[in-house]
Amino acid sequence: HIPDVESWLDRKRKQKAWDDNHPTYLREYCGVWIRDASALVFEYDEGRNVIKEFDFDNDGDWEYVLGIDLGFNDPTAFVVLAYSDKMRQVRVIESYKESGLIPSAVAAHVERLNEEYMFSRIVADTGGFGKGYAEEMKKRFNLPILAAQKSKKASFIAHMNGDLRTASIQICRRGNEALLEEM
């Protein structure tokens, strides 16, 4: 007995409330390569969330934060953010990643970036072996590394998506080419 594919697809579309143009239906059942923002973790939109560059000369209310995702085989990632409480805005100033970094090499990156930006906070993902790296940088290099709060990850992602939708988070094109490509 050969199943009636069209009837099955009709039932599936009704069950999921998909019309003939729904991205998941087109991608999964019709084999069409299509962008589906609802299938992404972050609701990034290039037209809304990318700016040419950051204007360092505005009102001076900006504070800088460094985010670090520690790795060795997987690369260590560095993300420099500027935020303004007054403007209620966040800018991703620069980001990059590098594999094979030992704690002293990570610390050298942090020190170099801190000389340029004078961070109000340095936050690292201390999960897994990252805790050892962060402790080494705190004790040996006197770097004020804070542990990222991972227990509320889903709510942080939802909050970030809200900020991406309202363009409260913007990413500078220059200095973030690899990040933008990944997003």
Side-chain angles (χ1 to χ4, degrees), residues 119-135:
F119 298 116
S120 61
R121 249 179 251 130
I122 301 170
V123 181
D125 179 353
T126 58
F129 80 94
K131 182 175 175 110
Y133 268 46
E135 289 303 314

Side-chain angles (χ1 to χ4, degrees), residues 95 171-183:
S95 58
I171 304 166
C172 301
R173 183 171 302 286
R174 187 171 0 133
N176 293 296
E177 294 83 1
L179 175 64
L180 290 170
E181 180 65 31
E182 195 171 312
M183 291 185 82

Side-chain angles (χ1 to χ4, degrees), residues 111-123:
E111 288 172 334
R112 178 187 61 77
L113 290 166
N114 195 34
E115 283 179 23
E116 183 175 352
Y117 295 102
M118 295 177 289
F119 298 116
S120 61
R121 249 179 251 130
I122 301 170
V123 181

Side-chain angles (χ1 to χ4, degrees), residues 8-20 22-25 28-29:
W8 184 86
L9 278 175
D10 285 339
R11 284 193 311 278
K12 182 62 106 175
R13 281 195 305 268
K14 286 177 185 156
Q15 176 188 20
K16 298 286 188 177
W18 293 337
D19 64 17
D20 288 340
H22 191 279
T24 304
Y25 168 70
E28 300 297 329
Y29 296 98

Side-chain angles (χ1 to χ4, degrees), residues 42-128:
F42 297 110
E43 297 179 30
Y44 155 81
D45 178 85
E46 186 168 341
R48 179 181 58 223
N49 299 119
V50 177
I51 58 175
K52 186 175 180 180
E53 59 188 26
F54 180 65
D55 179 9
F56 287 92
D57 296 329
N58 56 20
D59 69 12
D61 176 47
W62 296 96
E63 290 196 39
Y64 300 92
V65 174
L66 176 62
I68 310 166
D69 187 7
L70 295 162
F72 184 79
N73 293 329
D74 290 335
T76 295
F78 302 88
V79 179
V80 176
L81 304 170
Y83 73 92
S84 167
D85 282 330
K86 184 175 164 183
M87 296 174 61
R88 301 182 55 81
Q89 292 284 309
V90 173
R91 303 285 187 270
V92 180
I93 305 302
E94 72 172 279
S95 58
Y96 63 94
K97 55 188 174 179
E98 190 173 327
S99 296
L101 296 180
I102 60 174
S104 60
V106 174
H109 283 268
V110 173
E111 288 172 334
R112 178 187 61 77
L113 290 166
N114 195 34
E115 283 179 23
E116 183 175 352
Y117 295 102
M118 295 177 289
F119 298 116
S120 61
R121 249 179 251 130
I122 301 170
V123 181
D125 179 353
T126 58

